[in-house]
Structure formats: structure tokens, C-alpha cells
Amino acid sequence: MENKKTDQLKHVEKHNEGKAMTTNNGVKISEDENTLTVGERGPSLLEDFHFREKIMHFDHERIPERIVHARGFGAHGEFKVYKDLSEYTSADFLTHPEKTTPVFVRFSTVQGSKGSPDTVRDVRGFATKFYTDEGIFDLVGNDIPVFFIQDAIKFPDLIHAVKPEPHNEVPQGGSAHDTFWDFFAQNPESTHTAVWAMSDRGIPKNFRQIEGFGVHTFRLVNREGQSYFVKFHWKPTHGLESLVWDEAQILSGKDIDFHRKDLYESIEKGDYPEWELGLQIIKPEQEFDFDFDILDPTKIWPEDQVPVEIVGKMTLNRNVSNVFDETEQAAFHPGHIVPGIDFSNDPLLQGRLFSYTDTQISRLGGPNFNQIPINRPVNEVTNNQRDAMHQMNVHVGQTAYHKNALNNNDPHTTPREEGGYEHYQEKVEGRKIQKRSESFKDYYSQAKLYLNSLTQPEYDHTVDGFSFEIGKCKSVMVKQNAVNQLNKVDRTLAERVAANVGVEVPEENEEVQSDAKDSKLTMEKFDIPLPGHSVAVLINGDISEETLKAFAKTFTENKLNYAFVGKQPKNISEEFGITETFDTAHPTLFDSVFVLSDDSDLLPEVEEFVELTYKHHKPVIVDRSASEKLGHSKINIHASGVFISNEPEVIVEAFVRARYWDR
Ligand code: HDE
């Protein structure tokens, strides 16, 4: 949409204009560069209270990072429901199409620490805070619809296995190591999610183009008290895209902030990321109609069996003003729900309900974290909770208990009919036991369903993903055990991975005997819209200002991001022309390449740039002059996705596909 020659800081707000600097106690400061000393070269004096305060505050600037999902980035936005959903729920924000509900979303990786690269292979967190008029609803989901475990008691085990190994704190930001694959092989319920994570879903291209899933089964409850089982989905209107693994690895060095920059810049440019909210609904009487348990978080509800109903749209349209104050201090919780939404008995969900408040208390320093601006509901908070660390309110009055006569029993409780939250009355009977339900024990059918549903390139990438990760393990036993697990899902996958990592494929073929597919699982079901696509225009030699302007015009009209890369051609005004050099630009930072050349030979940097773009299956466009000189390169100019043209309009044809896998 914009030539990259723009001042990115232009949108950052000016602050404190014309105001004096003060201490935290409000005293105006006359000196902020030299501490108080005895004479110019003498000892410093502790009585310099401004110095002491400034250093003390700095010493405590960091808070503990999240134990998981430490690396993340967020933005503000809004949500609107398309139609009144009171058939299913009484939730105010889902029954008033005229209302706009503010939201805050934080995307994250799971494994890496706060400073780890964005493009690692991992599940992505997709947590949304809805500031509804009835209180906060947090949809704390992921970009993969299933999870590695079925019971929350195993979460510390999973996370200890996937995090850097304790003896050497390696690797950072990834699961390609022994303890994770040992966990995988010993805990077969992780198979389905692992297959998703090893597929293209594990290396999304950006946050704008991921799906979001609530993962667990929740309940919707309508005004009459009828309940429905529900799964929540976010479908990106910008389509769904992934990186290729080589590209993701290069980006981990070239630009570790690749995803956060993309989100920030898209919002700054007004190319707002959007998702539609989808619901899958199962009626209570259908609970046992499926060949999977609807409470099992390692299972999807295949969309071909339970269609997703699109019910609303979320748009992210405002960057945060301060990442620490807002994104870092945001406290999400799957237990933050509003009337009309309730929980199911999914044991993973039930365990999460304990963990999130508990973790915020140590991360954010006490139980008043709800009072931090980003966590505050938009409606008024009134109750008898008092005191504790970092209390921000000054409570008035004599009473802080219920019931009371001194204050007319206020704040009072509200019946369900008038908007008070009442838990759904589910009848439950049984013995107290510690045992997983038999209905949770099919670990492999849906892993097979997923593999069956992929296109051939997607399947091949999944083989590569497993081969890389298992191949990185040092223990031959772990590699063998992992391949043995794959053999229980898909024989071809097991054979190909075994060959790649150098272990035996088990003699007996134990794969799931099923050709079942779900048409919604491939990523290729999504169209990739032209706007937002980025193109590197490589300038080889002297290209006229007129030509560059014609390109700039077409790109802008089609809402494409572009950069002119190379050396500034002669006779071009300084404020126009080159925006990146071969030192600053890199093929992995763009979606495609366009080469403009005069009669001179191609620069080696141009050739390298085009070769890597070609290797990553992205569109390559060269003008006629450049095409004649690419003969001896690694590029087949007749291959699919390679276009020879001098016309800027060729982009419309070239960019209909993000990747040309058949090259
Ligand atoms: Fe989380 N998870 N989780 N999780 N999770 C956290 O909470 C936990 C699970 C998810 O951007 C922590 O505030 C347990 C599933 C996201 O701030 C912690 C279990 C799903 C985020 C925690 C799970 C998620 C978290 C760490 C097993 C997808 C980041 C810091 C029962 C549906 C939210 C924090 C943000 C964060 C616990 C499993 C998603 C430790 C015990 C399943 C997106 O409380």
C-alpha cells in the first residue's frame, strides 16, 4: 500500500508537550544528567533523591515473563455480531447487532522466552478480551484446534518436556529436541496436535492469516435456560498462509520481530486484520452422536459434520501505545465469562480455570491485576473485595460485607432474569475416581483424518517437519519410539520419516485404516487477497523515474506493499526511488520479486535474491531484459509462477497464488 520510504514514527503520539519533568512525588526536577557530588570530581551524595528514585525504579522494571506464551504481541480492535443470537445465548454482545464491543487481542508463541524469534515452529496463542457491557469475556485460544493433552494435571509435564532442556537451556523457541519427542512417544494423546504442529500450521506467515480456535467445548445458554455445546472459531478474512521451513529459519535471524512488525505495520497503514467469528453448535441431545467424545480437547468436530456458522466480525484497528503497559500486563483467563456462556466438563478446561488467576498473582504482583487499565471492564465494578497489594481504588463507606443493613444491602446480587450470572444447572452423578474416560482413548483416527485432508505439498511439508524435529533428537531410542507412534497413524509418513532420520520402520503396519477426509482442513481452502501482498522491485542499472512511477501507481492502486531495492539510478530525484539496499532487504521479507533491468549484466545480488524467492515458491516476475540474463541461474524461467513482463499490471495474474508448489 505504501512505498516503504515512509516515516514509521509518524503515528506515534507526542506526549507531555511543554510539561516539566517531576519526581514520582511531583517535585520539579532541575538536573537529570549529573548526580549530586561534592565538587566536580568528588564523591556522590546519597541525598540526591531524584537519582535514587530513578535508579530504584529502573532496577525493578522487569516482571516475570509468562511461563508459557511469553513471546507475544497485541492490538486493540472491535467486534460486532451480524445477527441476534438469542436462540442460543443470552450474552449481550452476541444478541445486539447494533453494538460494537471493544476487544484486545494478544498473539503469542508457546515455547520461547520473551525475546525469542517470531517465526519458530510452534503453536500460536490467539487470546481475545471482549470488553462487553456485562463484563469481560476472554476467549483464550490457539491457532490449532486441538491440544497435546486431555487432562490439565499433565500440563506441567508437557511444558517441562517442550521448554529448553534443563541441563543446558537448549533449544530456544522450538520443539526439535529429545524431551519433547520423548513426551510425544510416551503420551500418545499428543499425536493429533503434533501432526498439526509439524504441518504448515506450525509456521504461520503472520498473525493476520491464522485461524483461531477456542479448542475446548463451551456451553451457550439462552434466556430460557436451554444450553448448547459450542466450539468457537476465528476465520481470517485475509486468508490463511504459512512460511516454508527454510524461510522461517532464515527469518529467525534476519528479522526476529517478523510477525509483530507485520501486525503493527498493517494496522498503521489501515490494512486492518479481520476475523469472522464462527460457531459450531451441538444440541445436548446430540452429545453422544459422534465417533469421538465432544468433551475431548484432542478432537475437532469435523466441519463437514458440524458446519461452522459465521456470526460476527472482529477488526483490529489500533496499535497499543505502550507494549508493557498494555500487552505485557494483559491478564487473560478462560474463566472470564459472561451470562449466556458457560463451561463444559472438559477436564483440560476445568484445570485451566485454576491456573490463570494463580499465575497472574505472581506475574502481576497480587490479586488486584484486574484494576490495571488493560484488564478493567468497561462496566462498573462493585463488590466487597478490599485491600491487597497495589489497590488502585479508594473505597468509600463503612460496610464491606454482605448482607448488611447499614448500607441497604448494597452492592446487591442480581437474579439471572435481570442479568446476574447463574451457573448452568447440569445434573451430574458418579463416583469420585482418577481415571480417563474410555471415550477419550482413540488417539490416532483424527490424526489420520488430518493427514488425509492435506494436499500433496502440505503432506510433504509435514513429512519434512517431522523429519527435521525428530532428526534433531540425539537419542536413537527417542527417534525410534517417535517413528513407532507415526506408524500407528500413517504408514507412508512413518516410512518416509524413518528413512530421513535413520531408524527402522516397524515391521507391522499399524496405521489407521481410513480414507476419511474433512474438506475444511487444508489451508488451500482460503483465497489469498491481493491487498497487503509485498513485492521487492529490484533495480538493476538505470531505470527511468517514469517507469518507477508507473509501477508505484499500479502497486498503490492495488494496495500492495512494495520497496524499490538496489542502487539509486541516475537522474532520479532524491525523494523518489530506492527505499532499500541489498544490505537491508532480503527475499524472506517479501512475498514476491519483480526485476527491472537496463542492458547491463545482472548484479550477483539480484540473481541471489531471485533464486531464493524462486526456491521458496513465491511469484517471480522479470522484465524481458532481465529474463534473457537469467539463463545460467538456478531458475527455470518457464516454470510455474515465473512471469516475464515489462507491465506492472502482471501482478494481478502473478499474485493470485501465494506459492507455486509445482515448481
Ligand atoms: Fe494456557 N496458560 N494453559 N492454554 N494459554 C497460560 O497464563 C494453562 C492451554 C493459552 O496472551 C498461562 O497468563 C494450563 C490451552 C494462551 O496472555 C498459564 C493449561 C490453550 C495463553 C496457562 C493450558 C491455552 C496461555 C501463562 C492446561 C488453548 C497466553 C501466562 C490445562 C485453548 C495468553 C498466563 C496471553 C497462557 C496455563 C492449556 C492458550 C500458565 C494449566 C488448551 C493463548 O496460566
Side-chain angles (χ1 to χ4, degrees):
M1 232 185 283
E2 279 180 64
N3 185 307
K4 292 204 171 182
K5 204 169 192 170
T6 52
D7 178 4
Q8 288 294 344
L9 290 180
K10 73 185 174 197
H11 302 292
V12 175
E13 290 162 38
K14 288 265 179 292
H15 66 107
N16 288 327
E17 267 182 307
K19 292 190 190 158
M21 182 188 282
T22 70
T23 66
N24 285 334
N25 291 317
V27 176
K28 281 191 185 145
I29 292 163
S30 64
E31 172 57 57
D32 191 37
E33 289 182 89
N34 295 295
T35 40
L36 184 67
T37 52
V38 183
E40 282 175 15
R41 300 179 61 250
S44 304
L45 293 176
L46 267 182
E47 67 187 75
D48 184 344
F49 55 85
H50 169 52
F51 161 77
R52 284 195 335 264
E53 180 190 87
K54 187 174 173 183
I55 295 294
M56 176 280 295
H57 198 275
F58 169 76
D59 289 346
H60 298 273
E61 272 178 9
R62 293 292 168 270
I63 61 172
E65 65 174 34
R66 289 165 175 82
I67 297 154
V68 283
H69 297 265
R71 171 83 179 165
F73 201 65
H76 297 272
E78 55 190 46
F79 171 79
K80 265 187 123 151
V81 71
Y82 290 146
K83 61 170 191 188
D84 176 357
L85 297 174
S86 41
E87 179 191 352
Y88 301 126
T89 176
S90 63
D92 177 77
F93 79 109
L94 293 175
T95 50
H96 289 92
E98 74 287 358
K99 278 197 180 180
T100 301
T101 304
V103 297
F104 180 74
V105 175
R106 182 173 179 272
F107 301 101
S108 48
T109 54
V110 180
Q111 197 263 16
S113 63
K114 201 165 133 36
S116 56
D118 279 348
T119 58
V120 294
R121 182 183 290 281
D122 199 352
V123 176
R124 298 302 185 284
F126 188 145
T128 309
K129 195 177 275 300
F130 295 79
Y131 302 85
T132 87
D133 289 343
E134 293 178 311
I136 296 227
F137 169 54
D138 285 343
L139 184 54
V140 197
N142 281 343
D143 75 331
I144 287 181
V146 282
F147 202 64
F148 293 100
I149 48 172
Q150 295 171 320
D151 189 315
I153 200 169
K154 295 189 70 155
F155 193 62
D157 302 304
L158 165 70
I159 300 306
H160 289 171
V162 72
K163 279 273 184 180
E165 296 190 8
H167 60 291
N168 58 2
E169 235 189 25
V170 172
Q172 181 59 250
S175 50
H177 59 114
D178 289 73
T179 53
F180 177 73
W181 288 100
D182 190 29
F183 182 91
F184 164 82
Q186 301 307 318
N187 297 273
E189 67 267 40
S190 62
T191 311
H192 187 199
T193 307
V195 174
W196 279 74
M198 294 307 114
S199 77
D200 292 337
R201 302 274 183 155
I203 39 172
K205 181 159 155 232
N206 50 49
F207 294 135
R208 287 178 295 127
Q209 293 177 295
I210 57 175
E211 284 185 282
F213 304 92
V215 176
H216 308 282
T217 298
F218 286 84
R219 276 180 190 279
L220 292 179
V221 186
N222 67 17
R223 282 209 172 276
E224 289 70 47
Q226 284 169 322
S227 110
Y228 299 84
F229 293 109
V230 65
K231 276 198 193 272
F232 294 104
H233 294 247
W234 288 119
K235 303 267 184 197
T237 63
H238 285 67
L240 200 56
E241 272 195 81
S242 282
L243 298 167
V244 297
W245 183 223
D246 182 55
E247 203 181 17
Q249 288 179 293
I250 296 173
L251 278 168
S252 287
K254 288 278 174 198
D255 189 355
I256 72 160
D257 304 311
F258 190 66
H259 287 166
R260 62 171 57 192
K261 272 158 74 173
D262 175 86
L263 187 76
Y264 184 86
E265 287 170 13
S266 308
I267 294 175
E268 287 300 292
K269 285 172 196 151
D271 183 14
Y272 297 139
E274 281 179 349
W275 287 263
E276 289 193 301
L277 181 69
L279 305 179
Q280 277 181 303
I281 306 262
I282 290 183
K283 293 185 183 142
E285 59 271 25
Q286 299 172 311
E287 180 173 355
F288 301 105
D289 286 359
F290 302 90
D291 61 0
F292 50 86
D293 191 323
I294 68 161
L295 299 185
D296 178 355
T298 67
K299 302 294 186 304
I300 56 164
W301 299 354
E303 290 186 39
D304 288 347
Q305 287 179 50
V306 187
V308 173
E309 192 182 336
I310 297 297
V311 299
K313 191 194 269 182
M314 172 170 78
T315 308
L316 296 185
N317 53 15
R318 182 163 61 89
N319 278 313
V320 298
S321 299
N322 183 287
V323 173
F324 180 87
D325 297 347
E326 300 176 81
T327 315
E328 189 62 8
Q329 295 200 99
F332 293 92
H333 192 323
H336 291 164
I337 53 170
V338 290
I341 302 177
D342 210 321
F343 311 110
S344 73
N345 292 328
D346 172 348
L348 193 67
L349 172 59
Q350 293 287 332
R352 289 179 76 199
L353 299 180
F354 164 72
S355 179
Y356 288 69
T357 316
D358 191 44
T359 205
Q360 308 309 349
I361 289 172
S362 54
R363 197 170 73 80
L364 298 171
N368 285 320
F369 57 84
N370 290 330
Q371 298 178 12
I372 296 171
I374 192 70
N375 297 324
R376 269 185 224 148
V378 288
N379 54 334
E380 200 182 353
V381 173
T382 36
N383 58 40
N384 292 316
Q385 292 167 36
R386 292 290 183 274
D387 309 344
M389 301 266 230
H390 315 303
Q391 178 60 255
M392 301 293 157
N393 299 320
V394 178
H395 295 97
V396 295
Q398 188 183 10
T399 59
Y401 55 90
H402 184 82
K403 299 170 184 174
N404 68 61
L406 283 171
N407 197 44
N408 296 331
N409 212 14
D410 283 332
H412 55 267
T413 55
T414 309
R416 183 175 76 86
E417 300 70 38
E418 292 166 32
Y421 190 93
E422 189 182 279
H423 293 268
Y424 176 70
Q425 296 188 10
E426 184 187 1
K427 187 172 178 216
V428 190
E429 271 174 45
R431 300 166 75 86
K432 290 187 195 170
I433 47 166
Q434 287 194 295
K435 191 168 177 285
R436 194 91 41 91
S437 166
E438 285 302 312
S439 58
F440 276 40
K441 289 194 176 155
D442 169 10
Y443 305 130
Y444 307 115
S445 302
Q446 286 207 350
K448 179 74 170 174
L449 174 81
Y450 182 68
L451 290 167
N452 286 348
S453 308
L454 299 179
T455 60
Q456 191 60 43
E458 288 173 333
Y459 182 89
D460 293 342
H461 299 161
T462 310
V463 173
D464 295 344
F466 274 110
S467 303
F468 178 90
E469 296 246 334
I470 298 174
K472 280 279 184 188
C473 294
K474 298 207 166 49
S475 159
V476 178
M477 175 191 72
V478 167
K479 290 186 202 190
Q480 186 63 62
N481 289 345
V483 167
N484 294 354
Q485 277 304 116
L486 300 182
N487 187 51
K488 294 182 179 154
V489 182
D490 184 89
R491 182 70 173 173
T492 311
L493 177 66
E495 281 171 353
R496 287 178 61 183
V497 175
N500 287 342
V501 306
V503 296
E504 298 295 316
V505 61
E507 237 167 67
E508 197 188 334
N509 176 356
E510 296 176 85
E511 74 174 353
V512 177
Q513 297 299 322
S514 166
D515 298 329
K517 288 184 184 188
D518 184 56
S519 64
K520 299 296 190 305
L521 296 180
T522 163
M523 294 185 30
E524 291 188 12
K525 66 184 186 282
F526 284 92
D527 290 336
I528 307 297
L530 197 56
H533 185 105
S534 66
V535 50
V537 184
L538 309 190
I539 313 292
N540 191 75
D542 278 328
I543 307 296
S544 73
E545 181 155 346
E546 200 189 351
T547 308
L548 293 187
K549 285 204 161 141
F551 275 88
K553 185 165 174 281
T554 311
F555 293 154
T556 309
E557 280 168 5
N558 285 285
K559 296 192 169 178
L560 298 172
N561 298 317
Y562 64 96
F564 291 132
V565 182
K567 291 196 186 108
Q568 182 79 349
K570 288 182 203 137
N571 309 324
I572 284 194
S573 45
E574 250 186 32
E575 64 279 10
F576 189 73
I578 299 307
T579 46
E580 301 257 5
T581 66
F582 287 112
D583 293 324
T584 63
H586 191 266
T588 52
L589 302 172
F590 295 87
D591 298 326
S592 56
V593 68
F594 204 137
V595 185
L596 294 176
S597 182
D598 63 7
D599 292 339
S600 56
D601 285 345
L602 286 188
L603 295 166
E605 294 92 332
V606 169
E607 221 165 279
E608 251 174 57
F609 204 112
V610 178
E611 277 174 2
L612 202 54
T613 310
Y614 180 86
K615 182 180 166 198
H616 293 154
H617 305 272
K618 297 191 276 202
V620 170
I621 310 173
V622 289
D623 68 5
R624 284 200 185 79
S625 166
S627 72
E628 285 160 18
K629 295 165 212 143
L630 276 172
H632 60 284
S633 73
K634 291 182 192 145
I635 297 152
N636 171 4
I637 55 168
H638 305 296
S640 84
V642 181
F643 299 82
I644 302 170
S645 172
N646 287 35
E647 303 304 324
E649 288 76 22
V650 69
I651 52 167
V652 178
E653 190 191 339
F655 299 166
V656 289
R657 280 164 64 187
R659 308 271 173 173
Y660 290 84
W661 298 123
D662 46 339
R663 210 179 257 164

